[in-house]
Amino acid sequence: MNRLEEILFDSNEKIVSVLGINTIQKFLSTGILGNGFAVLSEKRLYFRGKCLYKKARGFYKKYEEKAVDLKDVTGTGFEHIKPISLLIAGIACVAVAVLLLLILISR
């Protein structure tokens, strides 16, 4: 039996694809898990690795090990954070720098 197939619940499942192949090879040979990997079979999606979760104003790392039936996989999403306060602070810093430069040049 292939070491990768040991992850599968059912020995009759066939592996379709692997995401994070270098990580899974390291995990299978050393037992040390890096970022994470996903294995897709014709029945399920398996995942092992570190995940980042957003909670309040910060991100937290957590180790996850999951298997999901393909019929339950409905979609994916991305969360993009665009902190407007950082943009405003950056513009203010540039404005102050330009103002100070003009003052120094005019002397």
Side-chain angles (χ1 to χ4, degrees):
M1 177 186 249
N2 182 344
R3 292 267 333 243
L4 186 56
E5 292 172 348
E6 293 175 10
I7 294 170
L8 307 177
F9 289 164
D10 184 353
S11 60
N12 294 324
E13 285 182 72
K14 302 290 183 234
I15 294 173
V16 175
S17 185
V18 177
L19 179 64
I21 191 70
N22 292 334
T23 304
I24 198 168
Q25 287 173 343
K26 179 180 177 187
F27 173 72
L28 292 174
S29 64
T30 65
I32 298 170
L33 185 61
N35 295 328
F37 61 87
V39 176
L40 177 67
S41 76
E42 80 276 2
K43 294 182 181 180
R44 294 177 189 89
L45 177 65
Y46 300 87
F47 170 80
R48 287 186 187 177
K50 297 175 190 170
C51 296
L52 288 176
Y53 288 94
K54 182 179 177 199
K55 196 175 199 183
R57 296 187 60 95
F59 287 93
Y60 301 93
K61 191 172 16 175
K62 181 179 175 186
Y63 176 80
E64 293 265 334
E65 203 171 311
K66 293 188 176 191
V68 180
D69 288 342
L70 287 184
K71 63 181 170 59
D72 297 327
V73 176
T74 57
T76 61
F78 297 94
E79 183 174 329
H80 298 280
I81 301 170
K82 296 181 181 178
I84 192 73
S85 59
L86 288 178
L87 177 63
I88 293 170
I91 292 171
C93 286
V94 168
V96 169
V98 169
L99 183 63
L100 289 174
L101 183 63
L102 290 173
I103 291 172
L104 287 174
I105 290 174
S106 65
R107 286 187 179 190

